[in-house]
Amino acid sequence: MSEADERKIKLLRENEINNQMIATKSNSDIRYNNLYFLGDSLSDSGAFIGVAREFNIFNIFKSQEFEAPLYKDFCSNGPTYSQILANKLGIKLVPAWRFKFLKQIYEKIGNNYAVAGAQITKLPFWKLKSIFCNNFSLPKQAKALLKHHQLTENDLVIINIGGNELINAVNISDINESKATINNAINIQKATIINLINNNARKIIVANAPDISKTPSFLNSYNMDKAKNLSEYFNSVWLEGMKQLQTKYPQIIKLFDLNVVFNKNLDEFQKKGGITNKGSTDVNYSCILFGLNVKPEFNEDCDFYNINDYFFFDFIHPTSWVHEQLGDIIYDLSQSKW
């Protein structure tokens, strides 16, 4: 066995042990009947790769996989906060989806409908990735959840989506059109939440979006200022819309300020001497849609030994330490009074 293989096995074993420790860290005081996620890669626990295998309609490829240092089917080097939270609440988390492709329905019943790459809205049809992503817009995820489950008053629904919406908005040349796209997205998110409430959802946590200008994808790029301004705009419109819903539906919706937590974690990581200006790896996730494995390539000066010195796993996704912080904070939020 090569030294590289030994390092890989050591890292995977450490992640398995850490995950087991997280699963038994504490017992929930407030217990929920079930836990449901709607969102994107930040809370995806395997739906993206599961759906990609469904799209492999001709069965001409081997079963696609995420390779180390990616952890299992997560877009990080450890479990995403959704899995960490589920462990803390004592609820089994199962990736789920329902979509129609070439006149055939593909579905898996579970409780985590978050899919990497998903947006609140649909992409324009002329964009190639719309063939995939538009099946998992926020309303489509909610529709799948309601098709598979009858919500109870003691179910917890977590909605965490918006990063991909912001990336799309930054790539639009006209700033007014970018803002109009964001306004439309928030209106659709509000309508989706109302739909869930009308279907008996009584405990909903909704997160805003992080400042994407601080991610390696935009940091020090010519679009950094635009990304910062649009992130601020998204979160201001989001807050106004969510406050309106809280007034109309009291004691149902809790707000999670992901942006504030993200910035605080970033500052803390920097003070500890961590690396925050670049990702530990370079990853092309879209290759999974073409039947290929996702194989991260370590960036310069990074390897299996020091990957946890990095705040970002790749161009935009955080490493496992960040997810652990999010899992703890959202757990505490879930245990506070409704």
Side-chain angles (χ1 to χ4, degrees):
M1 183 182 295
S2 68
E3 184 179 349
D5 288 337
E6 288 178 353
R7 290 180 185 177
K8 187 179 296 187
I9 290 172
K10 181 177 182 290
L11 179 73
L12 292 174
R13 284 175 178 169
E14 286 177 351
N15 281 336
E16 290 283 1
I17 292 169
N18 289 338
N19 199 27
Q20 291 169 12
M21 290 173 64
I22 291 167
T24 58
K25 187 174 180 180
S26 61
N27 294 318
S28 175
D29 293 324
I30 298 178
R31 298 188 178 276
Y32 297 95
N33 292 344
N34 211 331
L35 170 67
Y36 298 104
F37 280 94
L38 305 177
D40 52 29
S41 56
L42 199 63
S43 46
D44 186 332
S45 62
F48 175 70
I49 193 168
V51 168
R53 290 167 181 160
E54 297 273 40
F55 268 81
N56 187 3
I57 56 175
F58 301 113
N59 295 315
I60 58 176
F61 304 111
K62 294 180 180 179
S63 182
Q64 302 101 305
E65 294 180 353
F66 280 3
E67 297 187 14
L70 282 163
Y71 176 77
K72 293 187 176 179
D73 296 334
F74 301 90
C75 295
S76 184
N77 64 316
T80 55
Y81 85 86
S82 57
Q83 183 64 66
I84 294 169
L85 176 63
N87 290 344
K88 284 174 163 289
L89 294 175
I91 296 173
K92 184 178 181 180
L93 195 64
V94 179
W97 56 82
R98 188 176 193 275
F99 65 97
K100 188 175 183 179
F101 182 57
L102 297 180
K103 298 183 178 180
Q104 183 173 341
I105 298 293
Y106 297 86
E107 63 184 338
K108 180 183 176 185
I109 297 175
N111 52 2
N112 188 355
Y113 291 83
V115 180
Q119 294 192 177
I120 299 170
T121 60
K122 291 183 178 181
L123 287 165
F125 73 92
W126 46 265
K127 290 194 173 184
L128 182 60
K129 62 181 181 180
S130 69
I131 299 172
F132 177 86
C133 293
N134 287 355
N135 288 286
F136 311 105
S137 63
L138 181 61
K140 288 286 186 73
Q141 290 183 27
K143 184 177 180 180
L145 188 162
L146 296 174
K147 182 75 174 179
H148 290 163
H149 303 279
Q150 179 68 47
L151 292 176
T152 71
E153 294 184 359
N154 201 41
D155 292 335
L156 176 59
V157 180
I158 296 180
I159 302 173
N160 188 354
I161 194 168
N164 294 315
E165 211 80 39
L166 272 171
I167 293 171
N168 181 51
V170 172
N171 290 328
I172 296 172
S173 57
D174 187 329
I175 190 66
N176 291 322
E177 187 180 345
S178 297
K179 290 183 175 181
T181 298
I182 290 171
N183 291 336
N184 182 48
I186 300 303
N187 285 332
I188 289 175
Q189 188 176 62
K190 287 168 59 180
T192 302
I193 293 170
I194 292 171
N195 184 33
L196 291 168
I197 293 172
N198 289 339
N199 281 275
N200 209 38
R202 292 296 178 269
K203 294 176 174 62
I204 304 173
I205 294 176
V206 190
N208 60 6
D211 181 354
I212 62 171
S213 71
K214 297 180 179 181
T215 67
S217 185
F218 292 100
L219 187 65
N220 299 322
S221 74
Y222 70 94
N223 266 333
M224 186 175 76
D225 289 341
K226 186 178 181 182
K228 179 178 177 59
N229 292 335
L230 286 177
S231 294
E232 291 174 353
Y233 183 78
F234 180 100
N235 286 330
S236 65
V237 176
W238 174 88
L239 182 59
E240 181 181 356
M242 294 306 111
K243 289 290 186 182
Q244 291 171 358
L245 290 183
Q246 283 185 315
T247 300
K248 186 175 181 179
Y249 303 101
Q251 297 180 310
I252 289 180
I253 301 167
K254 290 182 180 181
L255 305 184
F256 174 55
D257 198 333
L258 174 60
N259 185 48
V260 167
V261 172
F262 175 84
N263 289 333
K264 183 180 178 181
N265 286 343
L266 196 64
D267 290 342
E268 181 182 343
F269 205 80
Q270 284 177 328
K271 288 176 182 177
K272 293 193 303 182
I275 300 167
T276 60
N277 63 342
K278 58 183 178 181
S280 63
T281 67
D282 184 31
V283 188
N284 177 15
Y285 293 95
S286 62
C287 66
I288 201 84
L289 302 178
F290 300 95
L292 304 174
N293 286 358
V294 174
K295 186 176 182 178
E297 298 291 337
F298 282 114
N299 287 325
E300 187 179 4
D301 299 326
C302 184
D303 57 27
F304 282 105
Y305 284 129
N306 66 356
I307 189 171
N308 289 316
D309 293 341
Y310 288 75
F311 187 88
F312 291 102
F313 179 76
D314 51 37
F315 56 95
I316 201 160
H317 301 111
T319 47
S320 58
W321 180 85
V322 182
H323 282 287
E324 289 168 12
Q325 310 313 303
L326 294 179
D328 287 343
I329 293 170
I330 297 185
Y331 172 78
D332 290 342
L333 184 59
S334 77
Q335 297 300 294
S336 63
K337 184 179 179 181
W338 286 90

